[in-house]
């Protein structure tokens, strides 16, 4: 049986790394990373850290709209993306159906099932990577294709990784 949540966790790491590589190569070519793109990318990395904290009952080191430069994005990606993918990979049926209680960024209390949280975190990041692509294009940079099917094609060797 295919573990879809594990596959989505791995996709999320790939998509973040693919986006970081494109930003790195653009900066290396003498272009500036657009601040609006960095702000949104910061938000999706921050949200990832926040959801990890909620799932593990710990305190998040990041705030929802805390902004990072490109080096900071690399740092927090390294601190959170693989950890999030690990949570997706290692959850069993009992963990997927477990409920967590938490307060959102406005302080409202909620109760959510772990499987819903993991799915939300990936779809939330996907939504915001689309916004980052738009901000990159508006800033004169060529965005990457971070679609799930592109990830699947790369993983199966049908296409070369994007630079």
């Amino acid at each position: 049986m295919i573990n879809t949540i594990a596959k989505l966790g791995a996709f999320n790491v790939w998509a973040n790394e693919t986006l970081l590589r494109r930003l790195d190569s653009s900066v290396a070519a003498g272009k500036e990373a657009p601040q609006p793109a960095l702000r949104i990318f910061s938000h999706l990395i921050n949200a990832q850290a926040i959801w990890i904290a909620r799932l593990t009952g710990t305190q998040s080191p990041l705030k929802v709209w805390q902004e990072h430069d490109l080096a900071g994005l690399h740092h927090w990606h390294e601190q959170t993306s693989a950890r999030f993918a690990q949570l997706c990979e290692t959850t069993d049926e009992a963990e997927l159906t477990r409920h967590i209680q938490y307060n959102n960024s406005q302080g409202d209390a909620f109760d959510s099932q772990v499987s819903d949280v993991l799915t939300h975190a990936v779809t939330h990041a996907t939504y915001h990577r689309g916004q980052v692509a738009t901000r990159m294009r508006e800033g004169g940079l060529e965005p990457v294709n971070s679609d799930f099917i592109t990830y699947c094609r790369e993983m199966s060797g049908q296409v070369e990784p994007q630079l």
Side-chain angles (χ1 to χ4, degrees), residues 54-71:
R54 290 173 180 164
L55 288 164
T56 60
T58 59
Q59 184 68 32
S60 174
L62 301 172
K63 302 292 182 207
V64 174
W65 285 104
Q66 185 175 337
E67 294 188 35
H68 312 290
D69 60 11
L70 191 51

Side-chain angles (χ1 to χ4, degrees), residues 26-103:
S26 297
V27 170
K31 299 177 181 174
E32 188 173 322
Q35 191 57 40
L38 295 178
R39 181 174 190 269
I40 295 168
F41 196 13
S42 295
H43 170 69
L44 81 87
I45 293 290
N46 297 343
Q48 190 167 265
I50 291 166
W51 282 114
I52 290 169
R54 290 173 180 164
L55 288 164
T56 60
T58 59
Q59 184 68 32
S60 174
L62 301 172
K63 302 292 182 207
V64 174
W65 285 104
Q66 185 175 337
E67 294 188 35
H68 312 290
D69 60 11
L70 191 51
L73 285 169
H74 275 280
H75 170 79
W76 289 111
H77 162 69
E78 290 167 11
Q79 296 297 310
T80 63
S81 293
R83 175 69 176 121
F84 179 78
Q86 178 189 35
L87 289 171
C88 291
E89 174 86 23
T90 60
T91 55
D92 58 15
E93 192 64 29
E95 178 64 6
L96 289 172
T97 58
R98 179 175 69 95
H99 280 250
I100 61 168
Q101 290 74 41
Y102 58 93
N103 292 331

Side-chain angles (χ1 to χ4, degrees), residues 2 11 14 17 22 26-27 39 41 44 55 57 65 74 77 80 111 117 121 133-134 136 139 143 148 151 153 161:
I2 295 173
F11 155 70
W14 169 88
E17 289 174 351
R22 177 58 55 87
S26 297
V27 170
R39 181 174 190 269
F41 196 13
L44 81 87
L55 288 164
W65 285 104
H74 275 280
H77 162 69
T80 63
D111 176 291
V117 168
T134 299
M136 287 174 70
F148 178 74
Y151 161 75
R153 290 170 183 157

